[in-house]
Amino acid sequence: MFDWNDARFFLAVAESGSTLAAGRALRVSQTTVARRITALEEALGLALFDKRRAGYVLTPAGHALLTDARGVQASALALADSAAAQKRAAGGTVRLTAEESFIVSLLPPMLRELHDLYPDIMIELDASEEVRDLEAGAADIAIRVTKKLEGAGLVGRRIGEDLWTVYCSRAYAETHGVPRNRRELATHPLISGGGGHVGEYYGAWLRENGLERSVAMQHGTVTGLFSAVRSGLGLAALPCLVAELDDELVRCLPPGVASAREVWLLTHERLRHTPRVRAVLDFLGERLRRHARLVEQKLADCPAGLVAA
């Protein structure tokens, strides 16, 4: 099978009559042009040019393929134009709502890549603990952590389970060691808080495991919670989806048992085919699911639950 890209070199030589002129037109070396013509002839099993002192002259076989080669070039240009038109159509603002933990730690590199691919799309971020009403138009896309999806007309995809466990910074682990069970965990300073649903979930986890007395500091925001852990002040229970692949953090304990909470990427059915929303939904869906699979692979060999002794 020949390389479709070699049709460009074939046409450039056919139209200019020499590999030197074709190289100038394509901004490559004369040697590269000659090599690509040879590769094309070998792949097709045909001599396309007579190589003469005055230049390259098409053979009858070359003449016979000229119209088809121009068709390949026209199709390639049409494909590029169509892709560019779709990117232009995808321009505009997309309002994305998610819990603060996603916006602070997980989404930034993904959104940077999204901007490189779709520079005409502006992402408007809403780091809210409130569930925005997508049906009423409060947001275009939501990353939602929930036990049960609620809301009419929601469409999207499941990203993964909302598993949690305890993390510390690498510096903390090197200085103070890493607890491996509940008894050891109780001897380390815990940082609690996070605000909103994160704070509620975390607080319930502390009470269930009898660790409230080990809390040395409380933060009202997820940003503060992550910053305190990364600085080495202590340990905190964090969502695995956000913390597990963070190079600055060390997992201390296996994740908890399977959670009823799941992470979903959602939009409303009336927006699912809007070009800018579709572009962001497809991009984030693929990147978030890929990230979730990597987390799942790292956690696959971990026994579940907080060991008592």
Side-chain angles (χ1 to χ4, degrees):
M1 185 63 181
F2 71 93
D3 186 339
W4 293 99
N5 195 44
D6 287 343
R8 289 194 309 126
F9 294 87
F10 170 66
L11 286 172
V13 175
E15 291 168 359
S16 67
S18 76
T19 53
L20 179 61
R24 288 172 179 165
L26 297 174
R27 296 184 179 180
V28 297
S29 68
Q30 181 181 17
T31 302
T32 296
V33 176
R35 177 168 50 80
R36 299 298 289 267
I37 293 298
T38 299
L40 180 60
E41 289 179 327
E42 291 176 352
L44 296 175
L46 296 170
L48 302 177
F49 294 98
D50 284 331
K51 287 79 170 178
R52 303 175 182 176
R53 293 182 64 182
Y56 277 49
V57 178
L58 282 168
T59 64
H63 272 294
L65 293 178
L66 193 58
T67 298
D68 288 335
R70 286 174 175 153
V72 170
Q73 183 182 55
S75 295
L77 293 173
L79 179 65
D81 289 343
S82 178
Q86 288 192 46
K87 281 195 173 184
R88 289 193 297 271
T93 298
V94 174
R95 296 166 298 162
L96 172 63
T97 180
E99 291 185 359
E100 189 182 1
S101 59
F102 288 96
I103 290 177
V104 169
S105 298
L106 184 58
L107 288 178
M110 297 181 188
L111 294 179
R112 181 186 64 230
E113 188 179 355
L114 174 67
H115 176 71
D116 290 341
L117 288 173
Y118 298 99
D120 294 329
I121 293 179
M122 187 185 82
I123 300 296
E124 186 178 291
L125 290 171
D126 174 23
S128 175
E129 298 296 332
E130 294 183 24
V131 176
R132 300 303 190 194
D133 189 343
L134 300 184
E135 184 181 14
D140 300 318
I141 295 175
I143 299 174
R144 190 170 294 176
V145 183
T146 182
K147 291 183 179 180
K148 181 181 179 181
L149 285 179
E150 296 180 351
L154 296 182
V155 293
R157 63 198 72 182
R158 179 184 179 277
I159 302 302
E161 284 186 277
D162 182 39
L163 296 174
W164 285 55
T165 191
V166 178
Y167 293 87
C168 67
S169 70
R170 293 197 176 278
Y172 184 96
E174 292 171 3
T175 303
H176 303 286
V178 176
R180 295 305 184 188
N181 53 52
R182 182 185 288 109
R183 178 178 53 79
E184 292 180 6
L185 181 59
T187 67
H188 290 260
L190 294 178
I191 304 162
S192 71
H197 297 146
V198 170
E200 293 173 10
Y201 189 73
Y202 190 1
W205 181 86
L206 289 169
R207 290 190 295 274
E208 289 170 7
N209 290 282
L211 294 169
E212 292 175 287
R213 292 186 178 181
S214 298
V215 174
M217 182 178 296
Q218 183 166 344
H219 274 278
T221 66
V222 171
T223 302
L225 187 62
F226 271 83
S227 296
V229 176
R230 289 192 181 106
S231 71
L233 286 173
L235 292 69
L238 301 170
C240 298
L241 192 63
V242 176
E244 183 64 24
L245 301 185
D246 190 321
D247 292 336
E248 296 181 40
L249 300 178
V250 174
R251 180 182 358 106
C252 303
L253 298 162
V257 294
S259 169
R261 289 158 48 103
E262 296 179 323
V263 181
W264 288 80
L265 180 68
L266 302 167
T267 189
H268 193 270
E269 59 184 0
R270 71 172 182 277
L271 295 175
R272 66 190 304 179
H273 298 304
T274 303
R276 64 182 184 279
V277 174
R278 183 82 257 169
V280 176
L281 198 67
D282 288 344
F283 177 87
L284 287 182
E286 192 278 330
R287 295 304 191 277
L288 287 169
R289 191 66 196 101
R290 182 198 302 174
H291 178 89
R293 283 195 297 267
L294 292 174
V295 171
E296 290 163 4
Q297 289 168 9
K298 283 196 67 177
L299 297 177
D301 297 329
C302 294
L306 184 60
V307 181

